Amino acid sequence: MRLARFNEGHIGIVIGDEIIDVNDLVEHELQAWPIVAMNRLIAQFDHYRPILEKALNRPRIPLANVKLLTPIPASSKVIAYPINYHDHAAEMGREVKANNLGFFLKPTSSLSGASDPIVLPDLPDRRIDHECELAIIIGKRGRDIPRENWKEYVFGYSCLMDIVVRGKEERVARKAYDTFCPVGPWIMTADELGDPTQLQGRLWVNGELRQDANTRDLIVDIPGMIEIASHIMTLEPGDIIAAGTPAGVGPIRGGDQVKIEFERIGSMTVAVEQSRGGKASIFKPSIVE
Ligand code: MN
């Protein structure tokens, strides 16, 4: 099942290129903050699944006529594994990889959706890059999860772009801007996706293929990422794990169109906009040593 959020925050089921509004079956407090309808749906999916399946004969709305939102705006955390493909480690000249580094966190305020632009800060001297990543959506609370139990804790998958200002400042600050974590276009549930260990992911900028890799080449695999993170933090329904990027990262600029696709999940194309904000004082022009 493909689960999405759209328009004013309605929950929907995506079938082909259409969406069915099932919001009345799930959540009524659209405007209440934090926006946890999807977290609750994920946490109680065994209860909701038969209810949602009965709604599949409802009228369908063309996806082209709706605004797709980020699926889990109130995820309790976005866990991101850096340097998790050997070819990306090589292009960045990095010796230490995710199996020793572990992970960092992106703020949930950086999440955006398929219909939202990536808004670049006004840092003309700095390179701002795309990273193409698989998003793993946690389905069940867990701590100290042994790797062999990983499947119990995965709800589904999505496409994720980890956007970053390159530089030597604290990584989290460089990756925390609003809209620097597009996730979407929806969540594909794990039961329908099948085996996630052989998934091809691709990213294009203005139609030019920049990244093209398979999850079989991950350094820390999906069970390993769940095992590592859960030995440090309690994982919660709706938590997002960004699996790391393969080689081919590169700059994006205002006016660009960035497309991401993972097979058996879907694709989304997001626009890039240049803003005049975001000039944090930590970002000095190139330092002369
Ligand atoms: Mn990344």
Side-chain angles (χ1 to χ4, degrees):
M1 192 177 285
R2 292 174 162 94
L3 293 166
R5 283 177 65 252
F6 69 105
N7 291 354
E8 301 84 28
H10 284 217
I11 303 284
I13 302 171
V14 175
I15 308 277
D17 56 1
E18 297 175 307
I19 190 165
I20 300 167
D21 191 336
V22 292
N23 196 63
D24 58 304
L25 304 177
V26 179
E27 169 71 29
H28 297 281
E29 296 175 72
L30 285 177
Q31 305 303 327
W33 187 90
I35 304 164
V36 293
M38 190 64 88
N39 308 58
R40 288 179 181 161
L41 173 57
I42 290 169
Q44 301 168 58
F45 196 63
D46 288 346
H47 162 74
Y48 279 117
R49 182 198 289 274
I51 297 170
L52 297 180
E53 283 172 349
K54 280 186 195 153
L56 293 178
N57 57 0
R58 286 183 172 191
R60 301 180 181 188
I61 309 162
L63 276 174
N65 294 353
V66 305
K67 177 180 162 62
L68 285 173
L69 308 175
T70 201
I72 317 166
S75 172
S76 88
K77 48 198 169 296
V78 179
I79 301 157
Y81 282 83
I83 318 293
N84 204 16
Y85 283 85
H86 292 289
D87 59 357
H88 177 58
E91 75 178 348
M92 301 300 284
R94 298 284 291 273
E95 299 288 328
V96 186
K97 305 184 177 81
N99 55 320
N100 293 115
L101 288 170
F103 56 85
F104 63 95
L105 299 176
K106 280 175 85 87
T108 54
S109 50
S110 66
L111 290 165
S112 59
S115 303
D116 300 317
I118 297 166
V119 180
L120 302 182
D122 189 11
L123 302 172
D125 299 323
R126 304 300 288 266
R127 180 172 141 179
I128 303 176
D129 277 5
H130 58 78
E131 296 186 348
C132 170
E133 310 204 7
L134 177 70
I136 301 142
I137 312 298
I138 297 297
K140 185 172 130 181
R141 176 174 291 171
R143 185 77 207 272
D144 291 333
I145 301 166
R147 62 174 284 123
E148 57 270 24
N149 294 351
W150 70 280
K151 276 189 183 169
E152 272 179 60
Y153 293 88
V154 176
F155 178 75
Y157 302 90
S158 192
C159 307
L160 183 150
M161 298 181 200
D162 179 15
I163 309 297
V164 54
V165 178
R166 294 292 173 205
K168 296 193 186 305
E169 298 83 3
E170 181 64 43
R171 175 188 272 123
V172 169
R174 293 184 289 103
K175 292 188 172 227
Y177 278 98
D178 289 2
T179 75
F180 269 27
C181 196
V183 174
W186 42 69
I187 301 166
M188 170 59 98
T189 54
D191 58 332
E192 198 169 321
L193 180 107
D195 181 12
T197 63
Q198 305 276 331
L199 273 187
Q200 199 73 22
R202 296 186 180 90
L203 184 143
W204 297 257
V205 178
N206 303 328
E208 180 196 334
L209 183 64
R210 293 268 188 91
Q211 299 189 267
D212 187 4
N214 195 288
T215 54
R216 77 170 79 89
D217 295 320
L218 284 164
I219 296 171
V220 179
D221 61 7
I222 297 170
M225 287 189 263
I226 290 169
E227 181 182 51
I228 290 168
S230 73
H231 279 73
I232 295 173
M233 306 177 292
T234 300
L235 302 187
E236 299 286 357
D239 282 359
I240 298 168
I241 298 177
T245 189
V249 302
I252 50 174
R253 297 180 184 87
D256 286 347
Q257 296 282 329
V258 187
K259 178 181 177 182
I260 185 171
E261 176 182 84
F262 271 88
E263 59 176 330
R264 289 184 273 138
I265 297 175
S267 70
M268 62 177 179
T269 301
V270 301
V272 182
E273 285 180 11
Q274 181 60 58
S275 82
R276 292 186 176 183
K279 287 184 190 182
S281 60
I282 57 169
F283 295 110
K284 310 292 187 206
S286 341
I287 297 161
V288 180
E289 295 185 23

